[in-house]
Amino acid sequence: MSRENPSLIEKGREFLEWLSDWYTNLKPMSLHSLTGDPARVAVCSVDMINGFCYEGTLSSARAAACAKPIVDLFQRAHARGVRNFILIQEWHSEKAEEFNAYGPHCVRGSREVETIPELASLPFANDFVIVHKNSLHTIVGTTMEQWLQEHPEVDTFIVVGVCTDLCTYDLAMDLKLRANIHDLKRRVVVPANSVDTYDLPITVAKRLGTLPHNAELLHALFLYMMALNKIEVVRELS
């Protein structure tokens, strides 16, 4: 590639180096600082279900690794008085249109759509609000729309789960942009240690006849995209 027509890699190298430094140097945030009035806080978990963590074609060790920090966050938030815990989870029809992109997964009635046992076994699990979705959309066309309307006092949302660049990104952005439409103050916080995405190497993707997916790059890049829109991306909630 000539200097007059540099490649995408050459053009992006400086930014990618900056992105790596930005991600490495994310700062922690105190959970205490968010929960002064716990009634105004909601913790939203996205797709922490068996079909992404432990079984099925889309399950991933990276998703499963999010379970420990998410459960810890749930426990500490509950101890601080937070009672709004929302689990937004895939619940696909048998012939879901989304299967054309990602293949069959998380069909309603199967074990794959069950909440991971680490969350389901928490002593306050009966208080969880479960929101089912039939696509990547986490609010549009789900009962989350109604929940938001019925809880206008909640203005701080902690978003965790999978995948960073898909459903988690959709939820965080939708929450923020809905508030922006009406000039409302709304904090959306994403702890990087409690979200992740899947990895699909190029060689495997070629064999499967699908698109590759670099987890490390896309995880950092979509956290940056959230931060660009004034979502508060932090290393962890300590």
Side-chain angles (χ1 to χ4, degrees), residues 48-50 52-54 59-70 116 118 162 196:
M48 292 304 292
I49 54 179
N50 288 334
F52 290 113
C53 294
Y54 300 127
S59 61
S60 161
R62 296 179 69 105
C66 290
K68 184 175 180 180
I70 289 174
I116 57 170
E118 296 92 329
V162 294
D196 210 337

Side-chain angles (χ1 to χ4, degrees), residues 32-186:
H32 176 80
S33 69
L34 291 177
T35 54
D37 184 352
R40 297 172 63 180
V41 178
V43 181
C44 302
S45 167
V46 183
D47 283 337
M48 292 304 292
I49 54 179
N50 288 334
F52 290 113
C53 294
Y54 300 127
E55 60 184 84
T57 58
L58 297 189
S59 61
S60 161
R62 296 179 69 105
C66 290
K68 184 175 180 180
I70 289 174
V71 169
D72 176 68
L73 175 60
F74 270 50
Q75 291 172 320
R76 290 186 293 115
H78 190 269
R80 290 205 51 81
V82 176
R83 296 296 182 265
N84 298 310
F85 293 94
I86 307 167
L87 277 56
I88 303 174
Q89 303 178 161
E90 300 236 316
W91 179 265
H92 284 302
S93 58
E94 291 186 357
K95 296 181 179 180
E97 182 65 23
E98 188 177 287
F99 294 169
N100 291 321
Y102 296 101
H105 63 279
C106 303
V107 176
R108 60 191 65 172
S110 71
R111 282 173 45 85
E112 289 187 24
V113 300
E114 295 176 6
T115 303
I116 57 170
E118 296 92 329
L119 285 174
S121 63
L122 287 173
F124 51 94
N126 287 339
D127 297 329
F128 293 164
V129 174
I130 306 296
V131 173
H132 292 142
K133 60 188 179 73
N134 191 39
S135 76
L136 294 180
H137 268 307
T138 51
I139 298 180
V140 176
T142 76
T143 55
M144 189 63 180
E145 296 255 22
Q146 182 177 351
W147 192 94
L148 290 171
Q149 293 171 6
E150 293 175 351
H151 296 80
E153 75 282 0
V154 177
D155 59 7
T156 299
F157 293 83
I158 300 169
V159 175
V160 298
V162 294
C163 287
T164 316
D165 53 325
L166 297 166
C167 297
T168 306
Y169 175 78
D170 176 81
L171 176 61
M173 287 291 291
D174 203 341
L175 287 170
K176 188 64 175 175
L177 296 181
R178 284 170 184 263
N180 289 355
I181 288 170
H182 301 289
D183 293 326
L184 299 175
K185 297 292 184 182
R186 174 180 287 172

